Amino acid sequence: MQPRFSSSSIEVELIWLKDRFQRWLRFGQPVDEIAHDRRRRAVTFAPGAVFALIHWEAGDYGTTLSRLWVLRAVEAGERFDRVPFVNPGAEVLLDLKTWVKVRAGLDAIDAIEALGINPERVCLDHWRHVGGRIAVAEPPSPYTRVRHRAWLSRKRLGLIDEDAA
């Protein structure tokens, strides 16, 4: 059974140890930030915020771990998934492991940004689609301006349940 969220914000731990260990945001707008020192900080997201988190580690012989998540900060009372470095957790929209898959996910984000669309505002189902396709080594369908306008129109008209989207 998934736990339920009872707070009003999500905290994400970020770190930057050059050439060894890095965790950073690819996109997302935190509402607060606390710098612990030059290498470590924590950012906070409001409920409903969508953001991408990248985790990378290296050893003596190169990359040992690559991971990309696209996450949605949940509202109080919502169920959530436990995600490393995200306290207490978030809704996982996309979860990719290995550099090849992470690179494909980053390419999907780049393609959305090339259209002039903020990845935070993309249809939540698109992130699930991207993760599913990349997981089976297939290219995801491109996100288009037409699909984005349709998503925004359905949201504006209240024709979708964002929690189910």
Side-chain angles (χ1 to χ4, degrees), residues 33-76:
E33 179 176 336
I34 299 169
H36 298 296
D37 56 39
R38 289 180 45 210
R39 297 179 177 139
R40 296 177 312 119
R41 62 191 172 110
V43 294
T44 304
F45 288 93
V50 175
F51 59 97
L53 178 64
I54 298 173
H55 179 84
W56 175 86
E57 293 180 31
D60 293 336
Y61 301 102
T63 297
T64 59
L65 177 68
S66 297
R67 195 131 184 212
L68 168 65
W69 292 276
V70 174
L71 305 166
R72 185 182 70 84
V74 296
E75 304 274 345

Side-chain angles (χ1 to χ4, degrees), residues 4 6 8 14 17 31 35 44 73 79 84 90 92 101-102 107 110 124 133-134 147 156:
R4 290 190 182 269
S6 63
S8 61
L14 305 177
L17 300 174
V31 294
T44 304
R79 293 173 190 234
V92 176
K101 292 177 182 178
V102 167
D107 289 344
D110 290 343
L124 302 182
R133 297 292 290 184
I134 291 173
R147 180 170 183 194
R156 188 174 42 254

Side-chain angles (χ1 to χ4, degrees), residues 9 22 33 64 99 103 105 117 132 137:
S9 62
Q22 299 168 10
E33 179 176 336
T64 59
W99 178 243
R103 180 73 255 166
I117 298 171

Side-chain angles (χ1 to χ4, degrees), residues 2 5 9-12 27-28 45-53 69-83 86-95 119-125 127-128 151 155 161-165:
Q2 288 180 313
F5 184 58
S9 62
I10 304 293
E11 184 176 277
V12 180
F27 65 80
F45 288 93
V50 175
F51 59 97
L53 178 64
W69 292 276
V70 174
L71 305 166
R72 185 182 70 84
V74 296
E75 304 274 345
E78 276 188 89
R79 293 173 190 234
F80 62 91
D81 301 297
R82 300 267 186 207
V83 179
V86 178
N87 190 14
E91 178 185 4
V92 176
L93 303 174
L94 175 137
D95 181 2
E120 299 167 53
R121 300 195 66 213
V122 166
C123 173
L124 302 182
D125 278 340
W127 295 121
R128 294 179 186 105
W151 161 249
K155 269 179 69 172
D161 175 13
E162 288 188 53
D163 295 335

Side-chain angles (χ1 to χ4, degrees), residues 94 103-113 126-127 130 134 140 143:
L94 175 137
R103 180 73 255 166
L106 293 172
D107 289 344
I109 293 168
D110 290 343
I112 290 167
E113 290 176 332
H126 183 70
W127 295 121
V130 169
I134 291 173
Y143 196 72

